[in-house]
Amino acid sequence: MKNIAVLMAGYSHEWEISMKSGAVITQNLDSDLYKVYPVAILKDSWHYKDAAGKCHEIDKNDFSLTINGDKVYFDCCYNTIHGTPGEDGKIQAMLELLNIPQTSCDSYQSAITFNKRDCIAILKPWNITTGNHMYLNHGDQIDAEIIARNIGLPCFVKANRSGSSLGVTKVYKTKDMDAALEIAFKIDNEIIIESFLDGVEVSVGAYQIDDEIKVLLPTEIVSENDFFDYEAKYQGKSKEITPARITDANTRVVQETTRRIYQVLKLKGLARADFIFHNGTPHFIEINTNPGMSEESIIPQQIKASGDTMKNVFTEIIENTIKHHN
């Protein structure tokens, strides 16, 4: 049996969501193939908690455990940390140096995709349609009138390096811009300001096995709130419809766009791209390379709708990660 560490938690505001994702992945890994160790990566402790509730610290020198005097080394890490250090390339870089396979994309790709600004800049030359954007760093001079004139109102003010819609505000009036920026700057010192796109919001999961990029059915997101914010995502304030209520032609277009984004960015493991169909064209919003896998999350819904099981998909991803590890 292979030893698999399921990495969860992290240092960001998303750590609790990541713990839920890790629990779902742990439950759905094939117990006939794998001995599974849920590992919490927290600022003050990297540890595995056994069935008796005893914590065993990870040895950061070789990313191993010592249990009852025996060393446990991992054949693969299933990485489901949301935010830093598991989605921005830091854990990936460490595991690459230690030559331990992990299921998420590699360190360079993770750093790019975690930074919305850099990701959009890379994709634009590949004819990936996006909205209009402005960027601010903490300390920059800010003129709400110029932002409104360049981007239009309403617009979204977002933390540049964050997930789960944390630090996002929809701004309708220039007088509300400063408060929105303050919220976003609490999450990150880089801000992205994005034009509002009116249309159907969809999210599409994908993963690669050997040379085939498998694209899942799109999910349509209908938020009870003003947009798909944290409450809508995790507190039942949205309706997620899989497959999305879009035409077959639009389904094919958004799946093909997702496949191209995955390919261009050279991703690995499960990823989820978000779009808004504006004037009939899917406009790329962002991509999550360690998407939520909790019971409320979109990817588990899409796997089920495709007629597959999470156990099978996770097995495919783990075995493929080990197979192609250099």
Side-chain angles (χ1 to χ4, degrees):
M1 289 179 76
K2 293 176 178 137
N3 292 330
I4 308 297
V6 179
L7 310 185
M8 61 190 84
Y11 302 167
S12 77
H13 296 77
E14 300 174 81
W15 76 273
E16 288 178 295
I17 303 300
S18 175
M19 291 294 285
K20 290 183 179 180
S21 295
V24 169
I25 289 163
T26 299
Q27 289 159 15
N28 283 279
L29 289 187
D30 192 333
S31 58
D32 292 331
L33 296 176
Y34 308 125
K35 185 158 178 53
V36 183
Y37 296 84
V39 174
I41 304 292
L42 297 162
K43 280 184 179 176
D44 57 354
S45 172
W46 293 15
H47 66 265
Y48 157 68
K49 189 181 284 186
D50 64 25
K54 184 181 177 184
C55 285
H56 305 268
E57 289 291 322
I58 289 281
D59 183 343
K60 294 179 185 177
N61 293 300
D62 57 7
F63 209 86
S64 68
L65 286 170
T66 301
I67 300 175
N68 299 327
D70 295 325
K71 272 273 199 183
V72 176
Y73 296 99
F74 297 112
D75 297 287
C76 184
C77 294
Y78 197 107
N79 181 2
T80 191
I81 298 168
H82 309 330
T84 190
E87 202 167 3
D88 58 0
K90 291 175 182 173
I91 279 282
Q92 288 91 332
M94 178 183 184
L95 295 173
E96 283 163 17
L97 286 170
L98 293 171
N99 201 33
I100 300 170
Q102 61 87 36
T103 56
S104 187
C105 56
D106 294 337
S107 56
Y108 178 68
Q109 284 75 16
S110 298
I112 288 168
T113 52
F114 191 64
N115 188 309
K116 298 179 181 74
R117 177 172 66 186
D118 292 355
C119 187
I120 288 164
I122 284 170
L123 290 174
K124 274 194 171 180
W126 294 84
N127 296 321
I128 303 297
T129 306
T130 69
N132 296 322
H133 300 87
M134 279 183 70
Y135 308 106
L136 292 172
N137 295 325
H138 197 267
D140 286 353
Q141 195 168 2
I142 295 163
D143 188 323
E145 294 290 344
I146 291 174
I147 293 170
R149 196 158 57 244
N150 288 347
I151 299 295
L153 293 175
C155 67
F156 287 102
V157 175
K158 301 180 174 182
N160 186 42
R161 296 167 294 188
S162 177
S164 297
S165 296
L166 290 163
V168 180
T169 305
K170 189 175 181 181
V171 175
Y172 287 89
K173 298 176 181 175
T174 51
K175 68 180 179 64
D176 299 326
M177 189 71 70
D178 287 347
L181 290 166
E182 191 177 330
I183 289 166
F185 276 130
K186 282 179 181 173
I187 304 292
D188 189 16
N189 60 14
E190 295 177 3
I191 300 300
I192 183 167
I193 301 165
E194 185 176 87
S195 59
F196 168 68
L197 299 170
D198 189 24
V200 176
E201 184 168 356
V202 299
S203 196
V204 189
Y207 62 101
Q208 184 164 351
I209 301 299
D210 296 330
D211 294 328
E212 182 188 0
I213 298 170
K214 299 188 177 189
V215 182
L216 300 170
L217 288 167
T219 295
E220 180 183 347
I221 296 154
V222 184
S223 178
E224 290 176 22
N225 294 352
D226 198 18
F227 62 97
F228 195 44
D229 60 4
Y230 184 91
E231 259 196 348
K233 281 184 178 176
Y234 299 112
Q235 295 173 9
K237 299 282 187 178
S238 71
K239 186 159 65 170
E240 291 147 13
I241 301 159
T242 310
R245 297 171 299 181
I246 56 178
T247 64
D248 290 347
N250 279 347
T251 296
R252 285 193 295 274
V253 166
V254 79
Q255 285 180 316
E256 188 49 46
T257 304
T258 301
R259 181 178 284 107
R260 198 155 93 256
I261 289 167
Y262 194 106
Q263 195 170 29
V264 165
L265 294 173
K266 297 183 178 177
L267 301 185
K268 180 163 72 76
L270 274 164
R272 197 194 75 228
D274 298 336
F275 302 88
I276 291 176
F277 269 94
H278 181 64
N279 295 331
T281 301
H283 287 56
F284 172 74
I285 307 299
E286 64 181 20
I287 192 155
N288 297 280
T289 56
N290 279 4
M293 296 299 296
S294 66
E295 299 291 353
E296 303 86 22
S297 297
I298 291 167
I299 292 285
Q301 295 176 33
Q302 294 183 355
I303 290 170
K304 187 177 179 182
S306 71
D308 214 333
T309 65
M310 286 197 281
K311 181 190 279 189
N312 185 52
V313 170
F314 296 156
T315 299
E316 277 192 301
I317 288 169
I318 288 169
E319 293 302 319
N320 201 68
T321 298
I322 294 169
K323 176 181 174 182
H324 291 282
H325 182 67
N326 294 324

